Amino acid sequence: MDENTPGVQPEATPAAHAGQHKAIVAGAVTPAVDKQVGEVFRQLGFGNGHGFLRTALPGVTLFRFGRHEASCPQHYERGIVFVLQGHKEGRLNDMHIRTSSERFTILTDAYPVHCETFASNPLPVLGVHIHLDIVPLRQLAAVTAKYDQQECGASPEERVLTSIPLTTDILAEVHNLLALLPDSGDCAAVGEATLTRLYYAVLKSPAGVVLRALARADSKLSRVSGAILYMQQNYDRKITVNDIASHLGLGESTLNRAFRIATGESPIQYLRKVRLTRARSLITLQRMPVQQVAGEVGYRSSSQFSRDFRNYFGVPPGAADSLPYGSVSVIGDT
């Protein structure tokens, strides 16, 4: 998660065996739990923050928003997102999600997502973003594969963005993780083991089918992930769908079909979004002159860049500072 982390309706939720997954019901996250979460933020000196705090446990980032941020495309790193107070709503093409104390979100790859944050000074949004580490996922995937066959009805589609009901088992592991964060010694001693327990709880839930697909090298979702990584690493030069497909050992039509199923758009549409969100970062964070930015993100025509920027963000590149989330802070390791 570099500079950002995530009126729509949540996705339809697959049914599960009765008693197998204990979903959180409305109101189940009590004021006492909210107070516990708020105390962790205060202990870390982030009780009044507006943005992100990278913790002593690698891959774990807290976020706090003290005011409403309107919907705007933001670049998000792959990860699991839990909102323990307040809520955020996101949209990626035909995928509409809500992340709250009742639902968590999985983003399988770095992706620009339209996000709106519903927060106020008396009720800030408090949450945690956990980077998806593919190594432990692969180690645990085989152990939890049996849960794919035990689900009733349709499992979550293998898509890059998924919103799933939060279960009591997963919530307990999230709070175990949060309890470690104020103490760097605890993070070093048992942080990795605690993350593994959280991964395991998520893999046993209906969300597990998505993560197991990501962990399998031969799955469509894994191939899409490879295409996304290639574009993330090469967005600043001229690349074609054929370049991406050849890198992955796939045909163009196979890649296009798999990519559209997983994301709702083509690889070239994704590449354009990556370039534009990176351009916004160069303008607002690195203060790079607008006329230089187009070439830095792979555009050969500055006029085409300006048109695409306005179409995507609703303002010209020179007005990038006026966009939502412009004053969000990112604080380094504690």
Side-chain angles (χ1 to χ4, degrees), residues 24-25 45 126 193 239 262 296 299 318 324:
I24 297 293
V25 297
L126 303 177
I239 56 176
E296 290 288 332
Y299 274 86

Side-chain angles (χ1 to χ4, degrees), residues 12-14 22-24 102-104 163-167 170 205-207:
T13 304
K22 300 175 183 177
I24 297 293
E102 298 162 28
R103 301 182 71 89
F104 70 102
S163 173
I164 298 182
L166 181 61
T167 67
I170 295 173
S205 79

